[in-house]
Amino acid sequence: MDIFLQQIINGLTLGSVYAVVALGYTMVYGIIQLINFAHGELVMIGAMVAFSVIGALAGTQLPPVLIVLAGILVAVPVCMAVGYTMERIAYRPLRGAPRLAPLITAIGISIILQHVALLVWSRNPLAFPQIIPLVSFNVGGAIITGVQIAIILTSLLMMVGLTLMVYRTKLGIAMRATSQNPQVAGLMGIDIDRIIAFTFIVGAGLAAVAGVMVGTYYGIAHYSMGSLLGMKAFSAAVLGGIGNLAGAMLGGILLGVVEALGAGYIGDLTNNVFGSNYQDVFAFLMLIAVLVFRPSGLLGERVGDRA
Amino acid sequence: MNLLELTRLEVAYGGIKAVRGINLKVPEGELVCLIGTNGAGKTTTLKAIAGLLPVAADAIRYEGAPIGGARSFELVRRGLALVPEGRGVFGQLTVAENLAMGAYVRSDAAAVSSDLERVFSLFPRLAERRGQSAGTLSGGEQQMLAIGRALMSRPKLLLLDEPSMGLAPLMVQKIFETILAVAKDGVTILLVEQNARLALEVSSHGYVMETGLITLSGPARELLTDPKVRAAYLGEAD
Ligand SMILES: Nc1ncnc2c1ncn2[C@@H]1O[C@H](COP(=O)(O)OP(=O)(O)O)[C@@H](O)[C@H]1O
Ligand SMILES: [Mg+2]
């Protein structure tokens, strides 16, 4: 087996999930300069809701693809509603407040959402029912599964869709205008409250799909899965240059690949002093190394550079 | 009829009053200017009219209706546009995207594209640079873009805050020619300027502002010959 190619495939799979989640962080940051620490919990809620639906439908004779799709179709609006609600009741009233206030609020919301999930779904993880037949292909000595292909393609589709929306539609241009100068955006007749709410909703929708994907990949979902995933996706956004869409995508994929390569080679590199369970350390070391040399991230511009 | 009427308008930042009860009228179809030195409160006045600062509702009437404290994005729909001090173009958006944002509230695509042609005929330079990001334009071009963008909303009342600021004389002349052309199209204009002579020469009426108060007002022609104005704002001793 070709370890290198295999780890690249695994890394691309996870990396594209990170990228989709990182987009949510970076969009919200770009528009209101808030790091929405509760974004990882949206991923978790997406996975939990979808798994509940999928679990309920698993006994039926529906085709597996339809069952997963149904899970996504329920998870997306639920997450959008949660994302909208957090903006509306927690962040909007703090819009003019010093930056630490919404930041602390975000941490609070993240904790609250985890506990709500704990109440709803209990401490026990939800398992993904064995409904998807294992399909895999051999490519150049490595194995890629059907689920991996689906994850990579879905992520790619969402990234392309989001980019087109942001760069080609009037709404997308209004989002970018608002992120550059909200006051002048208001003078154009743009209702910036609506644009900001819309940004949260889009980010939450992406998070929901990411939750389903990562849950399906690992075959498991639990109430605290959003923390580390969110942390990594946030790091990916910073790595790429927070506020920059292309940066979030690049950062996410890079982080996934480096993490996977770390898992594959860390034992060899360190004479088995460290095992593959040190992959996160490896990934974050790279993050730190990049930020030392490029504090604003790979594609980032000066932070706070506003018209 | 007065398109805009300010009555004892007061605007404060925290506890400090920057505008201390001013009266001002802009009749429909006219070009009125508000002149005064730096810090007099001109920008504050325009921002209050455009809905960017909280004020008493009755202090500002637009088309006869009280609009004080209304939100800026709603006023745009009612035909009020502000070209802010310092231009406020979206630097990372292209020229074309900036202009599209000017027409954000409109859905009449055909009329929007004919207005775009009108803006490009006023400012051919913008047509040449439509695909370029606005941040790469010169100061004068950015001012053209800011004015063009405001025109894209088809305003009834156009508020201009120091359009000549920081521009070379030739560019100032070009901008003022455009302002006159826009006024001729029937757009009512309230022009704030530090370049008092130029402003008074193109206006029908003028107001002079000092430390938050209107100290003088009248037909622009009379202000141009007023000894106090000549001494204080036109740089001429008697
Ligand atoms: N955001 C602000 N906060 C506090 N004071 C302000 C602010 N903006 C302007 N001022 C003060 O209000 C007064 C009027 O300012 P401004 O309206 O900008 O004057 P002008 O446009 O005539 O130069 C000045 O004393 C200025 O320092
Ligand atoms: Mg000013």
Side-chain angles (χ1 to χ4, degrees):
Chain A
M1 197 177 85
D2 187 333
I3 294 187
F4 181 75
L5 192 58
Q6 187 61 56
Q7 295 304 39
I8 293 280
I9 291 172
N10 296 348
L12 283 178
T13 310
L14 262 187
S16 43
V17 175
Y18 293 160
V20 169
V21 181
L23 282 171
Y25 280 100
T26 228
M27 281 166 62
V28 165
Y29 184 87
I31 211 145
I32 54 172
Q33 288 74 51
L34 166 73
I35 292 158
N36 180 16
F37 280 115
H39 189 65
E41 271 53 56
L42 290 170
V43 179
M44 176 272 292
I45 291 174
M48 299 303 269
V49 169
F51 271 45
S52 302
V53 173
I54 292 168
L57 294 176
T60 65
Q61 294 310 308
L62 288 170
V65 176
L66 273 191
I67 294 182
V68 175
L69 212 61
I72 292 177
L73 284 181
V74 177
V76 167
V78 169
C79 284
M80 286 178 163
V82 175
Y84 173 76
T85 308
M86 71 169 82
E87 192 279 324
R88 191 70 189 78
I89 68 176
Y91 301 141
R92 192 179 299 183
L94 294 174
R95 194 111 18 99
R99 282 172 72 163
L100 268 183
L103 207 64
I104 300 298
T105 305
I107 294 173
I109 291 176
S110 154
I111 294 170
I112 290 171
L113 289 179
Q114 277 196 35
H115 281 83
V116 169
L118 197 56
L119 287 176
V120 175
W121 287 286
S122 90
R123 193 169 286 284
N124 305 320
L126 299 180
F128 192 86
Q130 291 297 333
I131 52 167
I132 300 183
L134 191 69
V135 192
S136 56
F137 307 91
N138 196 321
V139 277
I143 291 183
I144 185 163
T145 67
V147 169
Q148 286 182 314
I149 295 176
I151 289 176
I152 293 173
L153 286 183
T154 308
S155 305
L156 213 61
L157 211 67
M158 290 196 293
M159 291 189 252
V160 171
L162 183 78
T163 306
L164 287 178
M165 193 270 285
V166 169
Y167 285 92
R168 290 280 179 271
T169 69
K170 192 167 160 181
L171 192 60
I173 302 172
M175 285 173 75
R176 286 187 289 137
T178 303
S179 90
Q180 282 178 50
N181 191 336
Q183 194 176 66
V184 176
L187 291 175
M188 301 296 110
I190 297 168
D191 180 351
I192 63 167
D193 284 342
R194 280 182 62 178
I195 296 289
I196 292 168
F198 178 74
T199 305
F200 271 85
I201 289 171
V202 172
L206 294 176
V209 180
V212 182
M213 294 194 298
V214 77
T216 309
Y217 188 51
Y218 288 131
I220 199 166
H222 52 97
Y223 78 98
S224 64
M225 67 184 277
S227 305
L228 185 60
L229 184 67
M231 189 84 82
K232 285 185 183 171
F234 165 59
S235 308
V238 173
L239 175 65
I242 190 130
N244 182 307
L245 292 187
M249 300 187 236
L250 177 68
I253 289 171
L254 211 59
L255 192 69
V257 169
V258 169
E259 191 182 298
L261 289 178
Y265 289 106
I266 207 163
D268 294 348
L269 287 176
T270 61
N271 241 333
N272 289 322
V273 176
F274 298 112
S276 65
N277 49 336
Y278 277 86
Q279 63 180 51
D280 293 343
V281 178
F282 195 77
F284 280 97
L285 276 178
M286 174 206 60
L287 178 81
I288 294 168
V290 169
L291 292 182
V292 165
F293 293 103
R294 278 194 70 92
S296 51
L298 293 170
L299 304 182
E301 289 148 45
R302 278 181 300 131
V303 174
D305 183 19
R306 320 189 61 187
Chain B
M1 190 196 106
N2 292 315
L3 188 55
L4 179 75
E5 186 166 359
L6 308 182
T7 315
R8 292 186 299 281
L9 173 70
E10 295 188 347
V11 194
Y13 294 106
I16 301 154
K17 274 188 195 157
V19 174
R20 303 185 286 156
I22 63 169
N23 298 316
L24 182 150
K25 290 182 182 129
V26 183
E28 185 148 19
E30 293 199 23
L31 202 172
V32 173
C33 70
L34 175 61
I35 59 175
T37 51
N38 214 347
K42 307 182 296 297
T43 295
T44 303
T45 304
L46 288 194
K47 280 187 167 176
I49 299 168
L52 296 176
L53 295 170
V55 291
D58 257 346
I60 307 173
R61 286 187 169 265
Y62 172 70
E63 295 183 304
I67 60 157
R71 304 212 292 164
S72 57
F73 77 91
E74 292 164 342
L75 294 172
V76 181
R77 284 169 205 277
R78 292 164 71 170
L80 196 151
L82 166 66
V83 177
E85 189 174 66
R87 295 143 202 150
V89 301
F90 301 113
Q92 290 164 45
L93 266 52
T94 65
V95 168
E97 287 172 335
N98 268 276
L99 293 171
M101 287 298 98
Y104 182 79
V105 297
R106 298 174 56 187
S107 47
D108 45 343
V112 168
S113 67
S114 86
D115 285 356
L116 188 62
E117 289 314 309
R118 169 78 179 134
V119 167
F120 283 154
S121 76
L122 282 172
F123 303 114
R125 198 84 69 88
L126 295 183
E128 290 163 25
R129 318 217 151 173
R130 65 179 89 184
Q132 205 168 312
S133 18
T136 64
L137 300 181
S138 73
E141 290 164 347
Q142 290 193 10
Q143 188 63 60
M144 294 176 183
L145 178 57
I147 295 174
R149 187 177 63 178
L151 293 177
M152 288 305 292
S153 69
R154 242 187 215 190
K156 291 180 209 160
L157 176 64
L158 182 61
L159 310 170
L160 296 168
D161 197 349
E162 304 220 23
S164 78
M165 186 163 52
L167 302 185
L170 218 65
M171 188 58 81
V172 173
Q173 194 186 335
K174 166 77 189 139
I175 295 288
F176 268 79
E177 279 165 15
T178 314
I179 293 172
L180 277 173
V182 170
K184 222 172 183 173
D185 278 355
V187 179
T188 308
I189 298 176
L190 176 57
L191 168 67
V192 158
E193 261 296 338
Q194 279 202 56
N195 190 331
R197 176 188 306 280
L198 218 48
L200 288 170
E201 278 171 357
V202 297
S203 303
S204 61
H205 263 74
Y207 289 81
V208 179
M209 195 167 192
E210 275 171 38
T211 57
L213 293 169
I214 300 289
T215 50
L216 259 178
S217 69
R221 236 179 275 281
E222 290 176 20
L223 290 180
L224 270 172
T225 54
D226 185 287
K228 273 182 290 181
V229 174
R230 291 174 73 98
Y233 299 101
L234 304 179
E236 292 171 14
D238 302 87

